[in-house]
């Protein structure tokens, strides 16, 4: 590995962690827990792992005499800054308990477990990945652990390597899978513990015990740096409106945090759009109103932040997508016979009046994208919709219809999508510390004999030595939701076949932006001023060195939520 100057400097950084973890620890159990909803059903589905107590680790006067343990680790789902430090913390934790403990990494996500593809993770191998971004230490993947035959296939290699515990580092879906796996292994007395760690830059895996998912802090700082750079250019050239879409799947946490850090002229929050039942036209008019107000002040430039999952929260857009999906699925052969130049008109005539009107109002590129870019199940791929281009074009069209033609003549746009740029960034001090602590805490949960738990580190707005390490039962975060699930069924010939069905399944409840929460209220109190004033903040590069209040500070979202 050829190292950059920054990598070399970061390799000497020693992550800070809770004071309790620096000594011998003991697990202190709290009260028994319940799921956030659907308690009877969740209890029924998880009889062996439901209702377990929250665990907190405290210093112990007794020296641990832990036995050597072999542990497996999986990186699951999309990348997030700090994953390497979770693995480093896990390794250091199990080796501190017993020098003969071993760590194995299953490569390219859950399929590494299923296909028995792994590598030993030694101190020499791990050292080059400490405090670095990415998941390249073992790779990641989006395969899911959902079927019994997958569990049994994984158990074969776990038994062969004498692995007593498996740590799954992932988001809400991956940790749901971890919970199901823990329940299954417990039910058959497999003698394998399963521990989860909360990962996702989206910020939607959190609750009272999980203050934040790792990677969110770094990703938001990276995006905010680039947004700040654009805003400085914007305020220098003074001729463009920049429409910036930000990764974040469904929830708007990233957009909200970046708005708090950079003070854009406009930031759309999807959850507010849904609550207020706003239409696409409402959103366009609101943006256009700000454009005109700034133009009247002589400011013909600005920035608009757009969450990635916006269209899924616009009620009328959801209805359009639903009707398109059903119609295209039922009339696929007929649709293929239509000339490409006639497809949009054909679809418009087939839709209900309300959806036809909305569809006809869309820019041609987006309208065509909705009918051509579908997944293997025939569903419209909402994530591929270029919302930034959609809004930029529609605002421009709206301004062209106004009496004052100067508005449209002086409206020039640039569009951006920031996503992959932040997923593998070198972790900030906060994420480097937080992730190392999560991994070390996972090692402590293994030492305490726990399974079906998620590693938890709280109190993180305070100095690291005051952080609180522990674990929470994953069932505590679960509820029942309707999901499209792949099931194995017997076909007419008696052979196995895959089938997609909608059914109620247990999943970790996703945390969306709380419109009554302190972060959104702080944003709401300032957004009217930011809209017309040019109050841009330029955060600059991520701070690794310097004043503690700068380089170690958590997100503004977390500070507002905790304080």
């Amino acid at each position: 590995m050829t190292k950059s100057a920054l990598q070399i400097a970061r390799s000497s950084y020693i992550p800070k962690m809770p004071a309790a973890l620096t000594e011998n620890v003991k697990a202190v159990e709290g009260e028994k827990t319940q799921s956030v909803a659907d308690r009877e059903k969740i209890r029924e589905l998880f009889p062996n792992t439901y209702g377990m107590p929250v665990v907190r680790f405290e210093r112990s006067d007794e020296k641990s005499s832990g036995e050597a343990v072999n542990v497996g680790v999986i990186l699951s789902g999309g990348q997030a800054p700090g994953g390497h430090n979770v693995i480093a913390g896990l390794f250091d934790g199990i080796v501190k308990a017993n020098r003969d403990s071993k760590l194995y990494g299953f490569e390219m996500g859950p399929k590494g477990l299923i296909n028995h593809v792994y590598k030993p993770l030694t101190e020499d191998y791990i050292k080059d990945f400490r405090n670095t971004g990415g998941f390249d230490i073992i790779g990641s993947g989006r395969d899911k652990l959902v079927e019994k035959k997958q569990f049994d296939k994984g158990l074969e290699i776990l038994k062969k390597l004498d692995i007593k515990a498996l740590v799954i580092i992932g988001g809400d879906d991956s940790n749901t899978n971890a919970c199901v796996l823990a329940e299954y292994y417990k039910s058959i007395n497999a003698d394998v513990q399963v521990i989860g760690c909360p990962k996702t830059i989206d910020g939607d895996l959190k609750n009272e015990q999980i203050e934040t998912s790792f990677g969110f802090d770094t990703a938001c700082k990276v995006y905010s740096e680039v947004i700040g750079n654009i805003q400085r250019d914007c305020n220098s050239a003074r001729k463009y409106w920049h429409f910036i879409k930000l990764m974040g799947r469904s929830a708007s946490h990233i957009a909200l945090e970046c708005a708090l850090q950079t003070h854009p002229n406009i930031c759309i929050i999807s959850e507010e759009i849904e609550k207020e039942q706003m239409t696409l036209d409402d959103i366009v008019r609101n943006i256009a109103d700000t454009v005109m107000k700034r133009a009247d002040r002589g400011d013909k430039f600005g920035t608009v932040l757009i969450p990635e999952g916006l269209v899924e929260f616009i009620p009328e857009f959801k209805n359009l997508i639903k009707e398109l999906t059903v119609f295209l699925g039922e009339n696929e052969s007929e649709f293929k016979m239509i000339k490409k130049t006639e497809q949009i008109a054909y679809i418009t005539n087939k839709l209900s009046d309300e959806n036809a009107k909305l569809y006809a109002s869309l820019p041609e590129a987006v309208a065509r994208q909705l009918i051509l870019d579908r997944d293997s199940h025939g569903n419209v791929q909402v994530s591929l919709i270029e919302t930034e281009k959609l809004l930029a074009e529609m605002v421009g069209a709206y301004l062209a219809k106004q009496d004052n033609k100067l508005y449209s003549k002086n409206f020039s746009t640039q569009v951006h999508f920031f996503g992959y740029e932040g997923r593998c960034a070198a972790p900030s001090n906060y994420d480097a510390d937080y992730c190392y602590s999560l991994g070390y805490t996972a090692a402590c949960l293994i030492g305490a004999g726990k399974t079906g738990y998620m590693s938890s580190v709280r109190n993180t707005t305070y100095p690291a030595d005051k952080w609180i390490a522990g674990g929470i039962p994953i069932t505590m975060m679960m509820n029942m939701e309707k999901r499209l699930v792949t099931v194995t069924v017997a076909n007419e010939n008696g052979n196995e076949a895959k089938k997609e069905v909608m059914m109620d399944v247990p999943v970790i409840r996703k945390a969306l932006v709380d419109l009554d929460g302190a972060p959104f209220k702080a944003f709401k109190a300032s957004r009217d001023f930011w809209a017309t004033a040019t109050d841009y903040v330029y955060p600059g590069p991520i701070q690794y060195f310097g004043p503690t209040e700068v380089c170690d500070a958590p997100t503004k979202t977390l500070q507002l939520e905790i304080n």
Side-chain angles (χ1 to χ4, degrees), residues 211-267:
E211 291 182 347
T212 186
S213 51
F214 78 76
F216 178 72
D217 179 85
T218 303
C220 287
K221 285 176 177 172
V222 170
Y223 299 144
S224 294
E225 174 194 346
V226 185
I227 292 167
N229 294 347
I230 286 175
Q231 290 187 152
R232 182 143 249 164
D233 183 272
C234 183
N235 199 16
S236 299
R238 303 189 181 184
K239 61 180 180 179
Y240 291 121
W241 272 85
H242 293 262
F243 286 71
I244 305 167
K245 184 172 72 173
L246 294 163
M247 189 172 275
R249 202 165 53 177
S250 297
S252 304
H253 295 292
I254 290 179
L256 177 57
E257 173 63 26
C258 290
L260 292 170
Q261 290 199 35
T262 63
H263 302 185
N265 300 108
I266 299 169
C267 176

Side-chain angles (χ1 to χ4, degrees), residues 60-112:
S60 173
D61 294 331
E62 298 180 10
K63 186 175 181 179
S64 174
S65 57
E67 297 180 356
V69 60
N70 291 352
V71 176
V73 63
I74 296 173
L75 290 167
S76 180
Q79 292 74 251
H84 289 163
N85 269 27
V86 177
I87 291 177
L90 173 62
F91 176 83
D92 290 352
I94 62 174
V95 170
K96 181 179 179 181
N98 191 300
R99 293 174 60 89
D100 295 325
S101 294
K102 296 178 181 178
L103 182 63
Y104 294 90
F106 291 99
E107 299 189 68
M108 303 312 296
K111 71 178 180 182

Side-chain angles (χ1 to χ4, degrees), residues 10 13-18 21 80-90 131 169-170 175 196-201 203-218 221 427-442 454-472 477 551-555 558 561-562:
R10 290 297 286 170
Y13 179 77
I14 300 175
K16 302 177 287 295
M17 63 177 183
L21 300 185
H84 289 163
N85 269 27
V86 177
I87 291 177
L90 173 62
N131 308 313
I169 302 169
N175 276 282
C197 282
K199 174 244 31 159
T200 172
I201 67 168
D204 57 9
L205 175 52
K206 63 178 181 179
N207 50 54
E208 290 183 1
Q209 300 291 330
I210 305 295
E211 291 182 347
T212 186
S213 51
F214 78 76
F216 178 72
D217 179 85
T218 303
K221 285 176 177 172
S428 62
N429 279 4
Y430 174 87
D431 268 331
D433 298 343
Y434 181 57
C435 291
Y436 185 85
S437 298
L438 284 172
Y440 203 100
T441 300
M454 184 183 292
S455 181
S456 168
V457 177
R458 297 184 293 116
N459 213 37
T460 62
T461 58
Y462 290 88
D465 63 341
K466 298 186 182 301
W467 291 1
I468 300 170
I472 63 171
M477 297 178 278
C551 65
D552 292 352
T555 59
L558 186 56
E561 286 174 339
I562 302 301

Side-chain angles (χ1 to χ4, degrees), residues 188-367:
I188 63 172
N189 297 315
D191 193 28
V192 175
Q193 301 164 248
V194 182
I195 304 296
C197 282
K199 174 244 31 159
T200 172
I201 67 168
D202 299 346
D204 57 9
L205 175 52
K206 63 178 181 179
N207 50 54
E208 290 183 1
Q209 300 291 330
I210 305 295
E211 291 182 347
T212 186
S213 51
F214 78 76
F216 178 72
D217 179 85
T218 303
C220 287
K221 285 176 177 172
V222 170
Y223 299 144
S224 294
E225 174 194 346
V226 185
I227 292 167
N229 294 347
I230 286 175
Q231 290 187 152
R232 182 143 249 164
D233 183 272
C234 183
N235 199 16
S236 299
R238 303 189 181 184
K239 61 180 180 179
Y240 291 121
W241 272 85
H242 293 262
F243 286 71
I244 305 167
K245 184 172 72 173
L246 294 163
M247 189 172 275
R249 202 165 53 177
S250 297
S252 304
H253 295 292
I254 290 179
L256 177 57
E257 173 63 26
C258 290
L260 292 170
Q261 290 199 35
T262 63
H263 302 185
N265 300 108
I266 299 169
C267 176
I268 300 169
I269 303 298
S270 299
E271 292 84 345
E272 183 182 28
I273 298 299
E274 183 174 55
K275 180 183 178 182
E276 299 298 330
Q277 296 289 291
M278 293 177 68
T279 64
L280 181 59
D281 188 56
D282 291 332
I283 297 170
V284 169
R285 286 173 180 268
N286 287 346
I287 297 173
D289 285 347
T290 298
V291 171
M292 290 186 286
K293 287 178 182 177
R294 286 182 61 79
D296 289 339
R297 290 166 50 99
D299 296 328
K300 301 165 187 175
F301 61 93
T303 51
V304 183
L305 302 190
I306 306 160
E308 182 182 19
L310 173 63
V311 294
E312 296 182 67
F313 286 80
I314 303 173
E316 61 172 353
F317 223 106
K318 287 200 296 187
N319 293 334
L320 170 62
I321 290 170
K322 182 177 180 180
E323 186 174 355
L324 278 174
T325 299
V326 172
F327 176 79
L328 291 171
E330 294 177 349
N331 301 275
E332 184 175 5
S333 57
E334 180 182 348
F335 178 70
K336 287 181 178 178
M337 302 297 291
I338 306 298
K339 293 181 180 179
K340 186 175 181 180
T341 55
E342 300 174 359
Q343 288 174 340
I344 293 177
Y346 168 80
I347 289 290
T348 303
N349 290 329
K350 296 293 184 178
L351 294 173
S352 62
D353 291 343
E354 186 176 351
N355 285 335
K357 181 180 179 181
L358 173 60
Y359 188 66
S361 72
L362 301 176
E364 182 179 348
V366 175

Side-chain angles (χ1 to χ4, degrees), residues 328-443:
L328 291 171
E330 294 177 349
N331 301 275
E332 184 175 5
S333 57
E334 180 182 348
F335 178 70
K336 287 181 178 178
M337 302 297 291
I338 306 298
K339 293 181 180 179
K340 186 175 181 180
T341 55
E342 300 174 359
Q343 288 174 340
I344 293 177
Y346 168 80
I347 289 290
T348 303
N349 290 329
K350 296 293 184 178
L351 294 173
S352 62
D353 291 343
E354 186 176 351
N355 285 335
K357 181 180 179 181
L358 173 60
Y359 188 66
S361 72
L362 301 176
E364 182 179 348
V366 175
R368 190 167 299 284
Q369 193 173 44
L370 283 172
I371 58 177
L372 295 181
D373 293 331
R374 294 184 290 147
D375 63 21
S376 59
H377 308 300
N379 298 312
V380 173
Q381 297 194 74
V382 177
S383 62
L384 297 182
I385 297 174
E386 296 174 304
T387 323
E388 66 278 25
K389 290 184 180 180
L390 168 68
L391 292 179
E393 288 188 33
M394 293 189 73
V395 170
Y398 178 86
L399 293 172
K401 297 177 182 178
Q402 303 308 302
D403 292 336
N404 188 344
K405 298 303 180 184
L406 289 177
Y407 288 137
S408 59
K409 288 182 179 179
N410 291 302
F411 181 69
S412 299
T413 63
Q414 297 288 339
V415 295
H416 316 266
F417 173 42
F418 297 148
Y420 294 98
E421 297 89 341
R423 298 203 310 175
C424 288
S428 62
N429 279 4
Y430 174 87
D431 268 331
D433 298 343
Y434 181 57
C435 291
Y436 185 85
S437 298
L438 284 172
Y440 203 100
T441 300

